[in-house]
Amino acid sequence: MNFDTTAGEQLAMIKQSAKEFAEQYIRPHIMDWDERQYFPADLFHQLGEYGFMGILVPEQYGGSGLDYQTYVTVIDEISQVCGSIGLSLAAHNSLCTNHILMFGNEEQKHKYLPKLASGQWIGAWGLTETGTGSDAGGMSTTAVKEGDHWVLNGSKNFITHAISGDVAVVIVRTGEKGDSHGMTAFVVEKGTPGFTAGKKENKMGMRASETACLFFDNCRVPAANVLGEVGDGFIQSLKVLDGGRISIAALSLGIAKGAYKAAIAYAKEREQFGKPIAQFQAIAFKLADMATKIEAAELLIRKAGNLKDSGQKSTKLSAMAKYYASEICVEVANEGVQIHGGYGYTKDYPAEKYYRDAKLCTIGEGTSEIQKVVISRLLMEE
């Protein structure tokens, strides 16, 4: 494994491109979007023009055909500026788009991937339900076969892009509740009768990333929209989440880096008792801890990404990366507020937004507790 993440002319160029995009098109608007809870759909069409909406999608389907190391780099750079945009970019790439890429047939791939990879369409992915968060196997939303269609009834909640998404991959129950082979994945297009979205959730952080419920009321979906085999939806989801957890780890990494950079810049310029506060051991040691945890998190993420790129099983490392990176993200953001003192509690400085955005990372795509369940079970199998 090459630990030099700046190696390679192409990766360095993409890293710089993502950084410049974030500075030019995102940074000037972050607080306005945050305050208004505005989801900037047009920005994602622009991200598509840069090739960032289909990073992992092969060129034959209109994507960039790049690897997980590049993907982590892009999510990291965007998230350093705004966690909300990083989150939406990650959800689009690693969940909806990647599910179709991994399990769709050729007809489905050619139909949906070019639109998703170009940013023409925005994707959503639905697994979570109101009564079944971590217990996804107990979902209540059902699909019943009627001729050459399936009829879906129920709802999904906490779905990124539920309102603005042009297409959603949803996993619903087609067998007995609790049966891991009793769930199936469907592609559902916006505008399908009986398929609607609820109100936008009023969130503490990640406010520019749209979150809402999806509702299915006798929603008729063609049998041709089944992804893979009937009954394989839950198993597919677990495999999709291996990559999704690397995404959230990269998101966490970016937010942590952003919070750290803001903190060290402030500590160098803020003076107390005649010198910059960075020169006081109490602050310097905080910065040392923050920097060390960020480095450790990135190495774990890069290792998990390397396993994905080489086609090896990454479940344990993906869970470890997501667990550790998300937890240190919260710690770093918390210390960032502390270093800013009273100003860290105001919206005049970026520390408070990193703090609000960070917490979602320990919850979304499997809580920290679920990651520990995954890790510990796999350790017992070794």
Side-chain angles (χ1 to χ4, degrees):
M1 179 179 173
N2 184 0
F3 286 95
D4 181 5
T5 56
T6 61
E9 185 178 338
Q10 183 185 51
L11 181 60
M13 208 164 65
I14 293 170
K15 178 184 174 76
Q16 184 62 27
S17 178
K19 182 176 182 178
E20 290 175 358
F21 184 98
E23 291 296 334
Q24 182 175 351
Y25 297 112
I26 300 174
R27 192 178 293 281
H29 309 289
I30 53 177
M31 289 313 295
D32 174 54
W33 293 342
D34 184 80
E35 293 285 347
R36 294 193 290 132
Q37 299 196 71
Y38 174 73
F39 175 67
D42 288 345
L43 179 79
F44 291 87
H45 302 318
Q46 283 182 278
L47 283 162
E49 293 172 6
Y50 275 68
F52 296 154
M53 294 289 273
I55 298 173
L56 301 169
V57 176
E59 293 180 10
Q60 70 188 92
Y61 304 119
S64 300
L66 299 171
D67 59 11
Y68 266 85
Q69 299 301 336
T70 308
Y71 178 48
V72 166
T73 298
V74 172
I75 298 297
D76 173 9
E77 288 295 329
I78 297 294
S79 303
Q80 286 183 45
V81 175
C82 181
S84 293
I85 306 305
L87 172 62
S88 278
L89 185 61
H92 171 92
N93 271 281
S94 69
L95 298 179
C96 177
T97 304
N98 201 37
H99 199 139
I100 295 172
L101 175 63
M102 290 177 71
F103 299 105
N105 56 39
E106 285 303 309
E107 183 180 350
Q108 292 166 335
K109 290 178 183 179
H110 282 288
K111 180 178 181 180
Y112 296 112
L113 292 179
K115 293 178 180 178
L116 290 164
S118 67
Q120 180 184 346
W121 278 13
I122 294 172
W125 192 76
L127 178 66
T128 301
E129 297 184 4
T130 304
T132 57
S134 298
D135 180 21
M139 66 177 59
S140 298
T141 302
T142 59
V144 177
K145 186 80 181 292
E146 286 189 6
D148 58 356
H149 283 73
W150 288 81
V151 181
L152 278 60
N153 280 286
S155 64
K156 298 288 177 179
N157 80 331
F158 296 136
I159 306 305
T160 305
H161 311 145
I163 300 169
S164 299
D166 297 280
V167 64
V169 172
V170 297
I171 298 87
V172 302
R173 187 161 58 82
T174 50
E176 294 301 314
K177 184 175 286 192
D179 178 6
S180 62
H181 293 280
M183 288 158 275
T184 302
F186 294 86
V187 181
V188 188
E189 295 182 30
K190 188 175 187 177
T192 302
F195 180 45
T196 57
K199 69 175 182 66
K200 185 184 295 185
E201 297 289 351
N202 186 7
K203 299 176 295 183
M204 175 178 77
M206 301 291 196
R207 290 165 62 83
S209 179
E210 176 188 281
T211 308
C213 288
L214 289 175
F215 296 107
F216 306 91
D217 183 9
N218 291 320
C219 176
R220 295 178 63 83
V221 178
N225 286 29
V226 171
L227 283 173
E229 299 297 323
V230 172
D232 284 353
F234 184 68
I235 306 303
Q236 292 173 7
S237 298
L238 296 180
K239 294 177 181 177
V240 169
L241 285 170
D242 281 350
R245 285 164 180 163
I246 295 174
S247 292
I248 301 302
L251 169 68
S252 304
L253 178 68
I255 294 172
K257 284 183 180 179
Y260 167 75
K261 288 179 178 179
I264 198 165
Y266 180 82
K268 288 178 178 178
E269 68 180 30
R270 171 67 166 168
E271 291 192 0
Q272 292 285 272
F273 306 102
K275 59 182 179 180
I277 62 172
Q279 293 182 18
F280 290 96
Q281 190 179 76
I283 302 301
F285 278 15
K286 286 183 186 294
L287 293 168
D289 283 340
M290 293 159 78
T292 302
K293 288 172 181 176
I294 288 170
E295 288 288 339
E298 181 156 13
L299 288 173
L300 196 50
I301 295 165
R302 295 288 176 183
K303 185 174 181 181
N306 186 62
L307 290 178
K308 287 289 289 184
D309 286 333
S310 60
Q312 299 179 66
K313 188 172 177 61
S314 67
T315 305
K316 185 178 74 173
L317 263 296
S318 294
M320 285 180 168
K322 197 273 185 187
Y323 165 53
Y324 184 74
S326 65
E327 289 292 336
I328 69 101
C329 175
V330 172
E331 292 175 23
V332 169
N334 180 48
E335 291 288 39
V337 172
Q338 193 70 17
I339 288 169
H340 279 76
Y343 291 113
Y345 207 66
T346 72
K347 292 184 182 291
D348 295 328
Y349 287 80
E352 65 85 30
K353 183 177 182 296
Y354 288 120
Y355 183 67
R356 288 186 289 109
D357 288 346
K359 188 56 193 171
L360 183 276
C361 297
T362 68
I363 300 169
E365 292 193 39
T367 62
S368 291
E369 290 74 20
I370 287 295
Q371 304 312 317
K372 287 192 276 190
V373 167
V374 171
I375 295 163
S376 60
R377 282 179 179 172
L378 291 171
L379 291 177
M380 296 305 106
E381 295 173 8
E382 293 179 348

